[in-house]
Structure formats: structure tokens, C-alpha cells
Amino acid sequence: MKSTYVVFPEKGKVALASHEVDTGSLAPMEVVMRNEATIISAGTELAALHSIEGTTTYPAGTGYGSIGTVLAAGAGVKDFQIGDRAFYAGRHALVQRFMHGQDHQWGRLYRAPKDLDPIEAAFVCMAEIAMTAPNITELSLGDTVAVFGLGVVGNLAAQFYQLRGARVIGIDPVKSRCDLARKIGISTVVDVAPGKQVEAVKALTGGAGAAVTVDAAGHSAVVATAVEATALFGQVVLLGSPRASFNADLTPTMRTIHTNGLVVRGAHMWRFPASEVRGAKQTVSWAYQTCFELIAAKKLKVRELASHVIKPEQAPEAYHGLQYDKDTWTGVIIDWR
């Protein structure tokens, strides 16, 4: 079966290619998936495109989250049948083979509702990432939470914190992201330059700072800002993944953490078990199911986060926009239907 797919042929280059996918001779736990939609992760995929961490080998396939249907399954696959709909960490491709049943969340299929719009369903991986932050935060009703960075993950995290009863302050220097957060319903949104963000948070909290601050930008400079904006004995949650080098004197930040009794929490998505485990309340399968239910009920707003729904052949333009026109290209879904 012929499939088209997105590839990084060399550093900084994006192309669409095609190949034949053998749908027979499957390993016991292997499946063949036909995708409806896939979501581009700007942080992870742009880092791979430009080899920010120096680990990308070209040509490189790429992808992040896929919603699709099982076309064929190996003899060992008992929990999915042909025709079942699933979400998984697939490639940006029309058809692909995928190894199910691995002991990590990027190596499994997760059941998806049959009637959920695939454009909305594709956001579930971003929602699962975002919900990690409120899931590990010690939170009381009415606590103030300042979310730094209102990209897709930050916007979703702000929504989750509001669902948990927090007073949320969303902060981003990009006006368009702030406008979208207001449209979605984030209670307080501040679009100020990084150098004025601590002052803005303290002005909104009577000088105390936020009980919880969240770095959703994935930048060490933002973490330092979040620390300074946190109230006495508060929590700093690292939701983004810092990748770019940052040269600075760490002593002021460490001194603030020490003297103010702050708790710093790492909120990486891989902290929870990939499948159901006895005694584990929070698992990846539980998180996906919860996110799907909230999206279907319109309690978690994701469709508004799709700035662009593109055809596969528009992929080069999309990655260029995500890199160089971040005000316009914010959330991109590739529609394979």
C-alpha cells in the first residue's frame, strides 16, 4: 500500500515523500494504521529539524501524535481490532506500521472515541502533556496560578488549572497568544515584555506573587522569571522542556528558592505509567480518556488552538511558519483524509 509522509531530508529542510508500506508479515504486536490527522509539536519537531540537541540523524522521519484507524493487526494484538480508532505517537504519514504494546506511552495505541472530530482528537497528546502540571501541583480552591507562555501547551495548562478551581494569570509577550487565551476564557491575561512580567504578577496578587508559577515556554530564562514571581512557600512547576543554552548567574534564582522556601516540581509527561498499573491512579491511558471526555464535553477547548489545518503538501510551509512566524502559526494539524 502506498503512503506519503513528511521527512527531514537534511538539517533545516522539510519534504513530502512516498513509499510502499507492506501490510502483511506483521510481527505479533504490530499494526498498520491509516491516519486521519496528525499534530505538529513545534518544540520537539523544530528541535529535531534543526538538530538543536545535536542528536538528529538525517534523513529523519518526524511526527508526534496521530489519530487513525487500524487496517491490520498482528496475531498478538488482542485489545484492538481492524476498524478500531486509536490515538498513538505516530509519524506524519498516510499509512504506517506501528509496534503496539510497548512499556512506554509512545509505544502503544490508546482507544479514541469514534465520533470525535479528528482535528480536535489530534490535540489529545498536547492536552495530556499540559495536564501533567496541575496533576502534580498541590492546589487549593482559589489559589493563584501564573502560567508563563501561552502556546498550545500553556493555554491548555491554564484551562486545566481553571477547571481545578484556580485563579489563573496567563502571561505571554505575544499579543495574539494572549488574545486567544482571553477568547478561550482564561480569567486574567497579561501581554507584557519578559522584563515586566514579575512586576505584573505581583501587582495582580497584592505584592505577594502567585502561589504557583508554571514555565510552559520551556526556556531557562522563563524559569528564572517564574521563581521571582512565586509567593513565599509557593511552587514552581517546570512544564516546558528547556533545550536552548542559557548563560546566567544562577545564584539569585537559587537564593530565592532557598530563602522563600519554594518547591520546584518537574512536570514531564513521562512521569506516569503508560498503561493501567495496580495502585496507580494516574496513568497515560487514564489521562487520554479524561482529555477525550473533556474535549467532547467542550469543557476543554482545543479547536480554537488550531491556527492552521493543512494538506500534507503544505508541510514545508507549516514548519517554516512555526519557526519564523510564531504569531501566526501557533497550532498545526495535518489532515490526511
Side-chain angles (χ1 to χ4, degrees), residues 157-224:
Q159 291 189 59
F160 277 122
Y161 275 110
Q162 284 196 166
L163 287 171
R164 287 201 58 193
R167 176 200 175 199
V168 173
I169 302 172
I171 307 164
D172 199 294
V174 179
K175 184 178 182 301
S176 59
R177 293 182 178 183
C178 292
D179 289 342
L180 178 57
R182 293 187 186 99
K183 178 182 177 181
I184 282 177
I186 303 307
S187 56
T188 303
V189 181
V190 181
D191 50 341
V192 296
K196 297 182 178 180
Q197 290 177 349
V198 174
E199 178 185 349
V201 172
K202 292 196 172 182
L204 290 166
T205 55
V212 180
T213 59
V214 182
D215 164 39
H219 198 291
S220 299
V222 179
V223 176

Side-chain angles (χ1 to χ4, degrees), residues 114-138:
K114 291 183 178 181
D115 55 352
L116 188 62
D117 181 349
I119 305 304
E120 294 188 326
F123 276 97
V124 75
C125 58
M126 298 302 184
E128 187 259 339
I129 291 168
M131 77 185 303
T132 307
N135 279 345
I136 68 166
T137 302
E138 293 184 3

Side-chain angles (χ1 to χ4, degrees), residues 25-196:
S25 305
L26 299 178
M29 293 302 294
E30 195 172 16
V31 296
V32 178
M33 299 296 298
R34 203 291 188 191
N35 285 333
E36 300 170 57
T38 59
I39 190 167
I40 296 178
S41 171
T44 298
E45 294 190 61
L46 289 176
L49 174 61
H50 299 284
S51 196
I52 299 300
E53 297 176 324
T55 58
T56 306
T57 300
Y58 304 98
T62 186
Y64 200 79
S66 305
I67 180 78
T69 303
V70 179
L71 293 184
V77 179
K78 304 300 184 184
D79 49 346
F80 284 88
Q81 298 179 344
I82 293 173
D84 283 350
R85 199 181 197 206
F87 186 87
Y88 66 111
R91 299 292 189 181
H92 296 305
L94 177 63
V95 178
Q96 61 188 289
R97 292 170 66 142
F98 180 80
M99 193 65 69
H100 173 52
Q102 301 176 65
D103 194 26
H104 59 86
Q105 72 178 85
W106 285 358
R108 304 183 71 88
L109 300 178
Y110 292 93
R111 196 166 298 280
K114 291 183 178 181
D115 55 352
L116 188 62
D117 181 349
I119 305 304
E120 294 188 326
F123 276 97
V124 75
C125 58
M126 298 302 184
E128 187 259 339
I129 291 168
M131 77 185 303
T132 307
N135 279 345
I136 68 166
T137 302
E138 293 184 3
L139 196 67
S140 299
L141 282 172
D143 276 351
T144 299
V145 178
V147 178
F148 291 83
L150 294 174
V152 171
V153 171
N155 187 302
L156 290 167
Q159 291 189 59
F160 277 122
Y161 275 110
Q162 284 196 166
L163 287 171
R164 287 201 58 193
R167 176 200 175 199
V168 173
I169 302 172
I171 307 164
D172 199 294
V174 179
K175 184 178 182 301
S176 59
R177 293 182 178 183
C178 292
D179 289 342
L180 178 57
R182 293 187 186 99
K183 178 182 177 181
I184 282 177
I186 303 307
S187 56
T188 303
V189 181
V190 181
D191 50 341
V192 296
K196 297 182 178 180

